[in-house]
Amino acid sequence: MDPEAAKTDAAVIARVCSAGGLIALSAVLEPLPHDFPAAVLILQHTSPEYDSHLAEILDQRTALPVRAATDGQPILAGQVFVAPSGRHLLVTPQRTLALIPSGRFPPSRPSADLLLTTLAMAVGPQVIAVVLTGGGQDGATGATAVHHRGGLVLASDEATSQYFAMPQATISRDNAIGLVLPVDEIGHRLIELTSAPILAGPLSVPSLQPNQ
C-alpha cells in the first residue's frame, strides 16, 4: 500500500471533553509514541470568544505533532488535530476536516455529538471515541452513533474524572460503551488497540470484555 494512502486510511481516535479536560487529555496523549498509527482528533468545550491555546499546550506534552484543525485538512495518521474555539469540527465522507461557525449560544461548543456522529458516518468501524471529564451530556449521542457504526467507545471512570457527568452520560447509554478505564490507562490501551493487525480491517477487540 502507498504509505501516504495508509496515512489517510488509518483508524481515527476522537477524544472529547469539557471541564478538567487539559489534565485528562495530557495524560492520554503522553504515552503515545511518535509513530502512533492512528489519527487523533481532540475537542474540548470552549467559549467561542476564547482564544484557545490548547493545540500549543498539548504539542509540548506528546511526541506527536499537534495542530489546530483547519477546514479541508486531510485526517492523517500520526497527527493530532484540535478543534478551534468558535467552530464545530466535522468529518467529511472524504475523511477531511470541516469547520462551521458554532454561533454565540449553546448547545455545547464545539459539539462533541456533531464530531462523533459525522466521524462515525465517514469512518465507521475504524473509529475509537474516548469520552473524558466534563459536565453535561454532550458526546453521548455521538458515541452511540460510533457504536452503531461498528466503532469502539471508551470512557474515563468516575474515580479519575474530575467531572463525571459527561462520561457517565455515555456509559449509561445501553450497549454503547466498550471500555471504562482510569485516565492513566487509556493511552496505553489505545496503543494496544491500534497495533497491527487489529485495525487492518473493521475494528474488532474480541479479547476485551465490556467495562474491562
Side-chain angles (χ1 to χ4, degrees):
M1 177 182 290
D2 181 351
E4 292 304 311
K7 284 186 177 182
T8 59
D9 290 340
V12 182
I13 298 168
R15 302 170 193 178
V16 299
C17 61
S18 188
L22 178 57
I23 294 174
L25 290 170
S26 300
V28 176
L29 278 174
E30 192 276 332
L32 304 185
H34 67 89
D35 57 351
F36 189 62
V40 179
L41 308 181
I42 287 178
L43 182 150
Q44 182 177 23
H45 294 158
T46 57
S47 168
E49 292 82 21
Y50 176 66
D51 186 15
S52 175
H53 297 282
L54 183 60
E56 293 93 328
I57 294 171
L58 293 178
D59 192 48
Q60 303 301 312
R61 302 184 181 186
T62 176
L64 298 171
V66 182
R67 66 185 69 178
T70 57
D71 193 63
Q73 166 69 50
I75 300 173
L76 302 175
Q79 298 189 26
V80 181
F81 304 96
V82 178
S85 56
R87 298 287 187 273
H88 291 306
L89 178 61
L90 314 177
V91 176
T92 74
Q94 293 75 36
R95 294 172 69 115
T96 63
L97 302 176
L99 298 176
I100 60 174
S102 62
R104 296 177 54 197
F105 304 104
S108 301
R109 299 155 297 168
S111 168
D113 281 332
L114 281 176
L115 171 60
L116 294 180
T117 300
T118 58
L119 181 60
M121 297 303 294
V123 183
Q126 288 186 298
V127 176
I128 302 176
V130 182
V131 182
L132 300 169
T133 174
Q137 300 184 6
D138 189 32
T141 296
T144 303
V146 169
H147 170 74
H148 181 73
R149 296 284 292 172
L152 180 65
V153 179
L154 282 65
S156 54
D157 66 10
E158 183 172 11
T160 60
S161 297
Q162 187 172 350
Y163 298 89
F164 191 52
M166 197 164 162
Q168 175 61 40
T170 297
I171 294 167
S172 66
R173 294 293 180 101
D174 291 343
N175 301 317
I177 194 71
L179 299 167
V180 179
L181 299 169
V183 168
D184 289 343
E185 294 182 16
I186 292 175
H188 299 286
R189 185 58 64 93
L190 291 174
I191 295 172
E192 296 175 5
L193 290 170
T194 54
S195 298
I198 290 177
L199 290 181
L203 182 62
S204 175
V205 285
S207 62
L208 302 177
Q209 298 298 318
N211 300 341
Q212 182 175 330

